[in-house]
Amino acid sequence: MPVRAPLGLFRGFAQLGAVALLIGCRGSEAPARVSVERPASVEVDVASNPEPPVERAPISDDAVIQAIVAIADRDSQVGDLLAAVAVEIGPRLTGSPQLLEAELWAVDQFEGWGLTATHEQWGSYPVAFDRGKATGAVVRPEREPLEFGTWAWTPGTRGQDGLEAGGPVRGQALRYPEDAAQLRARKPYLRDAWIMVPYGFERPSGKLGQQIERAFERGKIAGLVFAAGDSDDPRISTHGDHRLDPDKLPTRVEIQLRGDQHHALLQRIDAGDYVELEFGVANRLLPGPVPVYNVIAELPGASLPDQRVIVGGHLDSWDGGSGAIDNAAGVATTMEAARLIAAACARTGQRPRRTISFQLWSGEEQGLLGSTAWVAAHADQLAGISAALVHDNGTNYISALPVTPELHAIMQAVFEPVTKLSPADMPFSLELVEGLPFEPSDSTSFLREGVPAFFWGQSGRSDYDHYHHTQYDHADAVIDAYQRHSALVVAIAAWQLAQLPAPLERHNLVALPGRKLGAALHDTRVVSILEGSLAAGAGLAVGDRILEVAGEPVSTLAQLLAAVRRGDSRKTLTVARRGAAGPGTTRVELQFDWSQDPDEAERMARQAERRKRFGEQLRPWDTEPGAATPEPAPHEHD
């Protein structure tokens, strides 16, 4: 069978049509190994198992599960799939030729494994973005390189003469003016100047803001240089807004400079040094429309083909890194699960009862657009979707899944084989929650429409926040042992869910809105009170530190919110309050009553129903924080 390496030849928007013509359909061939030629300069821990695996005890009597495990142990290809996406193809911004290349390659892979695969358009973007080479340096007082990025859908430089696309522009670095006097002092020096915007700086608005903007336009500044982070944060995040008007494309260059370098340059400027910078950015904004797609591959069910189990992750990425952690990792486990199940079915002669649909969405980074569009376009299929499983939290191993009390027993049976895979090194557990969580990922697109949609919990040594949307998101951050394990978990879970005698229950699927205190909190300390709120009526005061909720000690914000949101409608909150006369504190008890909240009657009815149905053994309202409501950031009103 021909090798299915990524289509590395195809770069540039002029070649998009040619790519489609060169990809042919495949028949139901035996699953083939993915062959990837990796650039010599990239070291990636994604090699397949170098030695024959140690024989493990059977984890199930199911012949397909046994075959899935045996195939994965002998010849896992999840690392090769990851490398194909994140090394050979690289960053995959929605609407870019790299993403199209990845989509067509994925269709080819799925079809080669015997699945039906479609490249399904869900919409279009008004403007195409083509990221080119970027260079930047301090020129004076001495030359030194700078590490920076630019957001997607932002323009590039035009050269010193304004004619060379992507050409370097050299100019003085000036601090952004804070008042009219500073603006007057800077006006003579604005030509080709790079305006430094400190981290967290709120640019003036109103009349002064308009004056500054007019001065920048008339003075023809080179662009703005933002601090990408605080002075001790080396990360450079990439974002961007694709919703541009093709007739009014932005022209101002916006640099995102590493926080410590930005801080050091401002110190020089403030000390009176003449600082000169040079940036060349070859970004291009091209009028569209640009079609955007999802990849949908299916293994048809034998007896219930109109019912589905969905397994997926988003294929698009931001393009400040190569999109390995976010989310080639989830793409690789999704595709490897498809390969394992297809190969196991071929080996055993069995097929799943329900159709298993493997979905790679795009537009996730711009707001779950691809999955939301798929849900809207396939509304007739939603009632038949038993479950959707979404992998989009990096390379740590899959360690948990949130379940409601109604789903707990059946999911224990589903995941029994998973708990035996690697119980010592990579254990798995079910997390009992009041309702399935609305995560900032594609599971939410399905959960909004009442589909049981799950976002995998993950554990391990990888620091997701270090890589997420930053310049560090490359394939060398991927942990192959975790990836191999997670692919097995996904494959087994998909197969088990497809074989269930009935679809998953949808009753009480999502949590009701959480109870609100009416205060802004930092940890358990009150920093402000909303006027007319429950907190104001109860006598809560700024500076109070909440110690107990209904007699339960709380020391973190998560514990506090969990204690507030479960149990009875009336609670006593005990706070430590500083006295006006001295440094000591006193304990004060305050009464809170949520019984008149709009959702409270339903909340109490749901609790009573669950106590009656499940007894005392499944009580997330008393024992778990409830993942359905995310922990708010400090100072956020709750």
Side-chain angles (χ1 to χ4, degrees), residues 137-143 170 265 268 274-277:
V138 179
V139 180
R140 295 174 63 185
E142 62 273 336
R143 193 170 189 89
R170 180 179 298 186
L265 290 175
R268 288 184 177 185
Y274 179 85
V275 176
E276 192 171 53
L277 307 178

Side-chain angles (χ1 to χ4, degrees), residues 150-187:
T150 57
W151 283 13
W153 292 287
T154 62
T157 55
R158 298 294 300 177
Q160 207 73 45
D161 58 4
L163 299 176
E164 180 190 356
V169 177
R170 180 179 298 186
Q172 184 178 0
L174 301 174
R175 182 186 276 271
Y176 197 100
E178 299 181 23
D179 53 40
Q182 291 184 10
L183 177 60
R184 285 194 298 272
R186 287 161 176 61
K187 275 186 177 181

Side-chain angles (χ1 to χ4, degrees), residues 76-357:
S76 173
Q77 295 186 27
V78 69
D80 290 326
L81 291 163
L82 185 285
V85 175
V87 178
E88 178 67 14
I89 296 174
R92 303 164 306 281
L93 187 71
T94 301
S96 70
Q98 289 89 343
L99 180 58
L100 178 61
E101 179 179 335
E103 290 164 350
L104 296 175
W105 168 82
V107 167
D108 194 41
Q109 292 297 321
F110 282 126
E111 290 181 340
W113 297 329
L115 287 75
T116 60
T118 57
H119 191 222
E120 186 175 295
Q121 183 176 352
W122 56 264
S124 63
Y125 278 6
V127 174
F129 177 70
D130 185 20
R131 183 181 294 281
K133 183 180 179 181
T135 59
V138 179
V139 180
R140 295 174 63 185
E142 62 273 336
R143 193 170 189 89
E144 59 181 280
L146 294 174
E147 185 177 2
F148 70 97
T150 57
W151 283 13
W153 292 287
T154 62
T157 55
R158 298 294 300 177
Q160 207 73 45
D161 58 4
L163 299 176
E164 180 190 356
V169 177
R170 180 179 298 186
Q172 184 178 0
L174 301 174
R175 182 186 276 271
Y176 197 100
E178 299 181 23
D179 53 40
Q182 291 184 10
L183 177 60
R184 285 194 298 272
R186 287 161 176 61
K187 275 186 177 181
Y189 309 102
L190 291 178
R191 178 73 181 191
D192 288 337
W194 291 103
I195 307 299
M196 307 288 289
V197 185
Y199 183 68
F201 174 69
E202 187 172 342
R203 288 183 279 174
S205 57
K207 182 178 180 181
L208 177 59
Q210 294 172 3
Q211 291 174 342
I212 292 173
E213 185 61 32
R214 283 198 298 268
F216 286 174
E217 290 291 337
R218 292 171 181 170
K220 298 183 186 297
I221 65 170
L224 302 178
V225 182
F226 292 91
D230 212 340
S231 59
D232 59 353
D233 187 352
R235 295 174 299 173
I236 302 171
S237 296
T238 305
H239 297 280
D241 189 350
H242 70 284
R243 296 166 297 183
L244 300 181
D245 183 346
D247 297 325
K248 298 178 181 179
L249 295 178
T251 58
R252 179 170 294 165
V253 179
E254 296 185 352
I255 302 295
Q256 305 291 328
L257 180 61
R258 206 175 73 192
D260 57 340
Q261 293 183 331
H262 195 284
H263 180 71
L265 290 175
L266 281 179
Q267 286 183 316
R268 288 184 177 185
I269 294 170
D270 293 343
D273 292 347
Y274 179 85
V275 176
E276 192 171 53
L277 307 178
E278 181 180 81
F279 292 101
V281 178
N283 292 349
R284 291 194 303 161
L285 295 169
L286 305 172
V290 182
V292 286
Y293 304 89
N294 296 320
V295 173
I296 311 297
E298 294 195 333
L299 187 62
S303 56
L304 298 169
D306 293 333
Q307 294 186 16
R308 284 174 172 78
V309 171
I310 292 175
V311 177
H314 69 89
L315 184 55
D316 67 300
S317 76
W318 288 115
D319 57 351
S322 64
I325 295 295
D326 185 21
N327 180 41
V331 169
T333 58
T334 297
M335 295 184 70
E336 175 69 349
R339 186 188 75 89
L340 292 174
I341 294 172
C345 288
R347 177 178 293 188
T348 61
Q350 297 188 38
R351 285 172 57 194
R353 296 186 71 217
R354 293 176 180 80
T355 295
I356 305 179
S357 182

Side-chain angles (χ1 to χ4, degrees), residues 1-5 26 33-36 108-109:
M1 180 179 178
V3 169
R4 293 184 176 83
R26 304 291 184 186
R33 180 170 190 80
V34 181
S35 178
V36 178
D108 194 41
Q109 292 297 321

